[in-house]
């Protein structure tokens, strides 16, 4: 792919030095250095995001809202192409967008210090808080049913019947575990039927690499707004727990290294409550720990489903990668369940401390 033809659609992008960037599974990202500045270029995966223009619409309406209502909030808007649009589309290569590279910022892939978890939780909480009066349901749905756990479970059960027969046979144990934890799905269904759980502007991809940090480990802002849609707080808090609690990621093959770290949990609780604690209803607060079960379980279900369907969604760098990822997430789920009661008490203590 000749990226210079894409860059030609932007002002001042001659003599570009282009380097691959980031670790996302879905979109492709490059860092671009030109005579005029430093940028991030992304190709949106339109097999998954069927209409990337909906993403651009959401970013644009959020950006204008924030400029009017919260002008001091740091929000990275896309660079406009020569035609004034936020997205460049060329029939064969596809959909592209460019962002300014935020000076002196960096991302991290693994949370090494509690302060990073605290800062990230604060940033994701603030994002929802800043948009508390924005009409969440006016956002476009960029990925229908993205965090609909009931549907994900049903898709997994369908794959267990109609997927790759050899893989189904081989994954019997993991399929059994997914069925055994079905109560997590039932709790989700109750949440969607309860008026106590609010639909808010939700990021839906709160992994640590979606926060920009400055050199002193202070969170600057959140990035990757592709999946910003109306949603429940359990999605955001849950993915933080999924990706900040353990010292190793979903790719780790040595499952004995998977651990759930108390001080990182507390850092998430404190950071998120600092930003959004006042907005959460009592039943929501009571489901803080459930959020982690929900997201870890859903990711296990999604990886397992993809393995049974021959890796059509996530792809696989080696045979069995998605099964391994599913096993990894099931172990993480088990580790969190072992601490469920302790963590519920930690949330309770934070709620009480906030009231006093
Ligand atoms: C995908 O592309 P990336 O890494 O930002 C996925 C998330 C998963 C994550 C697991 C649109 O996110 O939901 O949690 O992989 N995004 C989509 O690594 O499916
Ligand atoms: Mg993403």
């Amino acid at each position: 792919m000749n990226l210079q033809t894409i860059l030609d659609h932007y002002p001042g992008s001659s003599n570009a030095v282009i380097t691959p960037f980031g670790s996302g599974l879905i979109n492709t990202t490059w860092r671009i250095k030109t005579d005029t500045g430093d940028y991030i270029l992304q190709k949106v995966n339109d097999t998954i995001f069927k209409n990337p223009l909906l993403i651009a619409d959401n970013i644009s309406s959020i950006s204008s809202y924030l400029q009017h209502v919260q002008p001091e909030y740091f929000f990275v808007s896309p660079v406009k192409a020569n035609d004034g649009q936020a997205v460049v589309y060329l029939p064969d290569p596809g959909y592209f967008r460019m962002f300014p590279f935020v000076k002196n910022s960096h991302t991290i892939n693994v949370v090494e210090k509690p302060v990073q978890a605290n800062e990230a939780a604060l940033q994701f909480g603030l994002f929802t808080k800043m948009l508390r009066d924005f009409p969440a349901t006016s956002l476009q749905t960029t990925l229908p049913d993205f965090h609909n756990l009931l549907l994900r479970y049903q898709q997994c059960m369908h794959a267990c019947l109609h997927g790759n027969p050899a893989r189904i046979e081989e994954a019997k144990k993991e399929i059994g575990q997914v069925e055994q934890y079905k109560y997590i799905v039932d709790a989700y269904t109750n949440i969607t039927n309860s008026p106590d759980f609010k639909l808010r502007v939700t990021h839906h991809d709160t992994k640590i690499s979606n926060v920009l940090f400055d050199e002193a480990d202070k969170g600057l802002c959140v990035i990757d707004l592709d999946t910003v849609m109306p949603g429940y707080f359990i999605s955001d808090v849950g993915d933080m727990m999924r990706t900040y609690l353990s010292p190793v990621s979903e790719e780790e093959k040595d499952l004995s290294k998977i651990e759930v770290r108390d001080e990182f949990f507390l850092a998430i609780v404190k950071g998120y409550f600092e930003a959004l604690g006042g907005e959460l209803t009592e039943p929501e607060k009571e489901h803080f720990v459930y959020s982690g079960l929900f997201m870890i379980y859903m990711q296990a279900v999604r990886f397992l489903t993809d393995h049974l369907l021959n890796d059509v969604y996530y792809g696989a760098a080696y045979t069995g990668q998605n099964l391994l990822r599913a096993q990894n997430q099931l172990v993480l789920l088990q580790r969190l369940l072992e601490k469920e009661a302790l963590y519920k008490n930690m949330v309770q203590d934070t709620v009480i401390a906030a009231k006093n």
Side-chain angles (χ1 to χ4, degrees):
M1 191 177 4
N2 180 1
L3 289 175
Q4 190 56 53
T5 44
I6 312 296
L7 295 176
D8 290 344
H9 290 257
Y10 288 93
S13 51
S14 48
N15 295 327
V17 179
I18 305 169
T19 34
F21 194 79
S23 59
L25 296 185
I26 306 293
N27 297 328
T28 318
T29 310
W30 299 268
R31 183 154 174 192
I32 310 285
K33 288 188 182 183
T34 72
D35 294 342
T36 53
D38 205 347
Y39 302 96
I40 290 291
L41 178 72
Q42 272 192 316
K43 181 178 193 291
V44 183
N45 183 334
D46 58 0
T47 317
I48 287 170
F49 294 100
K50 304 269 187 265
N51 186 354
L53 298 180
L54 298 182
I55 301 175
D57 267 8
N58 282 348
I59 296 181
S60 153
S61 52
I62 288 177
S63 169
S64 352
Y65 175 88
L66 290 171
Q67 263 161 34
H68 283 104
V69 181
Q70 303 285 352
E72 76 293 347
Y73 178 72
F74 183 50
F75 184 80
V76 187
S77 299
V79 177
K80 288 208 162 53
N82 293 331
D83 62 2
Q85 299 300 310
V87 174
V88 168
Y89 173 70
L90 294 179
D92 199 7
Y95 294 86
F96 291 80
R97 69 230 174 149
M98 194 144 94
F99 296 94
F101 184 88
V102 176
K103 256 200 167 135
N104 299 325
S105 73
H106 68 278
T107 53
I108 55 174
N109 284 323
V110 180
V111 182
E112 280 160 354
K113 302 177 241 173
V115 65
Q116 297 165 327
N118 182 274
E119 285 289 321
L122 178 68
Q123 284 302 322
F124 284 114
L126 275 179
F127 177 70
T128 296
K129 171 88 176 285
M130 292 296 144
L131 293 161
R132 64 191 284 256
D133 296 323
F134 179 93
T137 51
S138 73
L139 288 170
Q140 308 272 11
T141 299
T142 55
L143 276 181
D145 290 310
F146 186 42
H147 283 185
N148 180 343
L149 182 58
L150 179 58
L151 183 71
R152 298 282 185 190
Y153 180 81
Q154 289 163 343
Q155 287 169 334
C156 187
M157 292 302 117
H158 190 267
C160 293
L161 294 174
H162 305 287
N164 177 328
R167 289 188 173 197
I168 295 171
E169 185 57 33
E170 182 200 14
K172 272 207 161 117
K173 182 169 160 226
E174 290 75 18
I175 294 170
Q177 285 175 307
V178 161
E179 286 173 324
Q180 176 202 330
Y181 293 125
K182 167 77 177 10
Y183 70 90
I184 298 177
V185 184
D186 301 334
Y188 167 75
T189 305
N190 289 339
I191 285 176
T192 60
N193 290 328
S194 161
D196 294 322
F197 288 79
K198 310 280 176 223
L199 277 176
R200 300 186 178 87
V201 178
T202 305
H203 186 283
H204 288 111
D205 193 9
T206 58
K207 60 186 181 188
I208 198 70
S209 55
N210 282 336
V211 179
L212 293 188
F213 289 93
D214 72 8
E215 283 149 349
D217 275 331
K218 260 218 142 335
L220 292 169
C221 64
V222 303
I223 55 170
D224 187 3
L225 305 186
D226 298 342
T227 51
V228 172
M229 289 181 274
Y232 299 105
F233 91 101
I234 55 170
S235 287
D236 282 1
V237 167
D239 217 33
M240 291 182 217
M241 289 169 64
R242 187 180 81 80
T243 57
Y244 311 170
L245 291 184
S246 173
V248 293
S249 80
E250 65 200 19
E251 302 295 350
E252 179 58 55
K253 295 179 189 157
D254 180 352
L255 305 186
S256 71
K257 290 189 180 155
I258 299 172
E259 215 191 304
V260 161
R261 300 170 295 180
D262 302 350
E263 63 280 28
F264 291 77
F265 176 74
L266 197 58
I268 297 174
V269 178
K270 289 196 166 151
Y272 200 74
F273 271 55
E274 182 180 337
L276 210 65
E279 303 284 322
L280 298 181
T281 65
E282 287 309 314
E284 285 177 324
K285 288 176 191 162
E286 282 159 23
H287 281 73
F288 201 93
V289 182
Y290 170 79
S291 306
L293 307 180
F294 164 75
M295 280 304 294
I296 296 168
Y297 176 75
M298 180 155 65
Q299 200 59 61
V301 168
R302 291 177 66 191
F303 283 142
L304 182 61
T305 307
D306 203 36
H307 176 70
L308 301 178
L309 298 179
N310 297 323
D311 315 307
V312 281
Y313 189 89
Y314 285 114
Y318 59 88
T319 309
Q321 185 175 17
N322 282 309
L323 179 59
L324 191 282
R325 288 166 167 162
Q327 289 165 340
N328 170 307
Q329 297 292 286
L330 287 165
V331 170
L332 181 61
L333 180 61
Q334 188 52 46
R335 295 285 90 83
L336 180 58
L337 280 166
E338 287 158 9
K339 296 205 164 169
E340 190 181 7
L342 172 72
Y343 285 7
K344 278 186 170 169
N345 285 336
M346 280 159 82
V347 175
Q348 203 43 42
D349 290 347
T350 310
V351 171
I352 294 167
K355 280 183 184 152
N356 294 332

